[in-house]
Structures are given as C-alpha cells and as structure tokens.
Amino acid sequence: MTDAATAFSLDPSLPARERILLAAHELFYRDGLRATGVDRVIAAAGVTKVTFYRHFPAKDELIRAFLAYRHERWMDWFQVALARHQAAQSPAERQRQPLQPLAGALGEWLREPGFRGCAFINAVAELGGGLGDALAISAAHKQDMVGAIETLLPGQPEAHALAEAAGLAVDGAIVRAQTGGAAVEQALAGLERVLAALTPATTLA
C-alpha cells in the first residue's frame, strides 16, 4: 500500500526492474536510504516481493543501482546545463567569467522544489563505511563533476586545480542550501563570491 506521502506515478508498462529503480530513485533521494525500506519500494513500484528479489537480491544491490542511475541522470543534466549557460555568454564574458555557467546551473537545481541535496554526499553521511563501494561510487561521481567543470576552462593554467576548488565550493553550497529557506539564496550568493575570487587566476591575458 502506498500512502499519500509516497505516492507518485510510474508507467505500469515499464519493465519491472525499471519501475523498481525509478521508485527507489524517488524514495531514496527524497526520504533517505535508511528511512526507505524495501517494502515501500515494492509498493511504489507495483511489483511482488518475488519479482523485486529476482532483480535485487538485497537492499545493498538496489542502493548501488540507485547511485549508478543517479550519477548518470545528474551528470547528463549538469553537462547540458553548463553548456546552455556557457552558450548564453558572449565571447568576452566567457573570457572574463569562465566559471559563471557553474553558478547558473547550480541556481537551477538548488531552487527546485524537490531539491534534497547531493545524493552522494547524503549516501556517504548515511552509510559511512557500511557499504564500502558506495564511498568509491560517490568519490567517482565527484571527480566526474570536477571534470565537467574543467571543460569551462580550456587552455587555462592549472585548470584542474581550479576546477577542484570550484567543485569544493559547489559541495559547500549544496550542503548549505539543503537547510532550505533563505539558505538557498545565501548559498548561491556565497558560491558566486567564491567563483569570482577564482576568476582572476583563470582569465587569459
């Protein structure tokens, strides 16, 4: 049975594994890994226990699949958002403010009603070393995020180090914004200041 707090629509024609993964994505991200039991995922996906365990023999297997799916989905969005905000800049703006598209992209995400922070930071906080490969998956996700940021800095000296610093600023803004309310705009304003501070070192002569 699905209560009002967990109800959301899934296409019943989708394969069972996909429905399970989509239900887990919704519930794990919104409510947390520990707070979401297997029975809630089964109910939301509209499958039997036998079907669930045929695809995911243990909850840990589902958590791994969720993190892999979340990584792919978030990175696809992030790369498109960065490219869109960069395309809106003039050539001169790209040279003066190469990291500005990062602030624009994060602003979209942090202001979404369903924003619940970074799924990977949340997973590390919830699981610690309890699911060792979750730590590795989360670390790989952050490195891919830094790689995407680095594409904003072609030809810049120390581009990777600057992208790493920007990535740390992004993570700080995400955690601050997660408290909600005015913290979202405060986090974005702080991120803009950090990116502006990095800009002089990235601007080509």
Side-chain angles (χ1 to χ4, degrees):
M1 183 169 61
T2 305
D3 60 33
T6 62
F8 50 88
S9 177
L10 288 176
D11 184 348
S13 69
L14 292 173
R17 187 183 190 282
E18 188 172 351
R19 278 185 282 131
I20 293 167
L21 188 53
L22 289 172
H25 179 270
E26 177 78 15
L27 295 171
F28 283 163
Y29 181 66
R30 190 184 70 189
D31 299 333
L33 300 173
R34 293 191 182 281
T36 302
V38 165
D39 286 345
R40 289 184 67 204
V41 176
I42 289 170
V47 298
T48 66
K49 286 191 175 183
V50 170
T51 298
F52 175 87
Y53 285 111
R54 183 165 59 242
H55 291 287
F56 299 99
K59 185 178 178 180
D60 285 355
E61 299 265 351
L62 182 59
I63 290 172
R64 291 184 186 98
F66 156 69
L67 291 173
Y69 176 72
R70 179 69 183 183
H71 170 73
E72 180 179 358
R73 177 170 167 163
W74 192 88
M75 285 301 304
D76 284 348
W77 165 80
F78 187 53
Q79 290 166 330
V80 168
L82 289 180
R84 178 164 29 83
H85 283 276
Q86 187 181 55
Q89 290 180 301
S90 68
E93 287 171 333
R94 288 189 192 183
Q95 185 170 329
R96 290 195 309 270
Q97 299 177 305
L99 292 171
Q100 184 58 35
L102 180 56
L106 263 290
E108 292 181 15
W109 182 39
L110 270 57
R111 292 184 178 108
E112 285 183 357
F115 173 74
R116 295 293 184 274
C118 170
F120 301 89
I121 294 174
N122 294 347
V124 170
E126 281 198 72
L127 300 174
L131 184 62
D133 46 352
L135 301 180
I137 292 167
S138 299
H141 169 78
K142 292 303 178 183
Q143 284 306 302
D144 284 353
M145 182 186 79
V146 168
I149 295 170
E150 193 172 348
T151 65
L152 300 174
L153 304 166
Q156 301 284 1
E158 300 185 1
H160 184 71
L162 289 164
E164 286 274 11
L168 288 173
V170 165
D171 285 340
I174 289 169
V175 172
R176 179 67 178 275
Q178 201 166 352
T179 60
V184 173
E185 296 307 320
Q186 291 166 358
L188 289 169
L191 178 62
E192 294 247 17
R193 286 193 290 272
V194 172
L195 297 180
L198 291 172
T199 296
T202 67
T203 304
L204 292 173

